[in-house]
Amino acid sequence: MKRNRKLAILVILLVCISLAAFGVNKYEEQKEIIKNSDEIILEVAGDKVNTLSWECDTGSFGFHRNDAGKWLYDEDEAFPVDEEKIGALLGLFEEFGVSFIYRRSGRFRAVWPGHPGMYHPYGNGREKL
């Protein structure tokens, strides 16, 4: 009888360890899929961009493309603009990919902010926004 009891305990322990290993394997697999995602979420063709501007510590800069397709500096249109450097700069923004994909099933509904049924995403499901 003692032998059967030990055997049953060992079988139950083996099943628990196997289930835990299977769960960890699936978790790591999902983490790897998310980590290696190469999905493109936004594509911007450089030849379709007509204005380019940015702000930094030294000031704000803006460029626009005229009807002939030549880039001009907004502050001084006579200022010489290097077309290749503008093209290289726009090349950085041609494709935006994702770092990870966040998928959460369950409590979320398609509602607008302030909707009486909208719950806080990181709460226990009962705190309203």
Side-chain angles (χ1 to χ4, degrees):
M1 194 65 149
K2 261 188 160 180
R3 184 174 180 205
N4 288 340
R5 187 173 179 197
K6 278 185 180 180
L7 188 60
I9 290 173
L10 288 175
V11 167
I12 291 172
L13 186 63
L14 178 65
V15 167
C16 290
I17 291 172
S18 297
L19 288 174
F22 179 75
V24 167
N25 186 25
K26 286 296 177 185
Y27 172 75
E28 291 295 325
E29 213 173 86
Q30 179 65 24
K31 200 164 91 174
E32 194 67 27
I33 289 170
I34 291 172
K35 185 177 179 182
N36 293 332
S37 177
D38 59 351
E39 183 179 344
I40 303 297
I41 58 171
L42 178 65
E43 292 181 358
V44 178
D47 58 340
K48 302 287 185 197
V49 176
N50 292 323
T51 60
L52 174 66
S53 63
W54 68 91
E55 293 181 15
C56 61
D57 294 337
T58 58
S60 61
F61 303 95
F63 299 90
H64 65 277
R65 192 185 307 235
N66 65 7
D67 295 334
K70 185 175 178 178
W71 284 99
L72 303 171
Y73 182 50
D74 287 345
E75 299 291 323
D76 181 11
E77 292 189 357
F79 185 82
V81 177
D82 188 349
E83 300 284 329
E84 289 181 14
K85 290 196 178 188
I86 294 288
L89 184 62
L90 288 174
L92 297 173
F93 302 103
E94 282 185 359
E95 290 183 346
F96 288 97
V98 295
S99 301
F100 62 92
I101 299 171
Y102 181 69
R103 296 177 199 259
R104 184 175 173 152
S105 61
R107 302 187 317 232
F108 290 102
R109 292 183 283 166
V111 294
W112 54 92
H115 184 272
M118 188 168 187
Y119 290 98
H120 193 280
Y122 299 110
N124 64 8
R126 293 186 207 104
E127 299 98 11
K128 298 240 181 171
L129 287 178

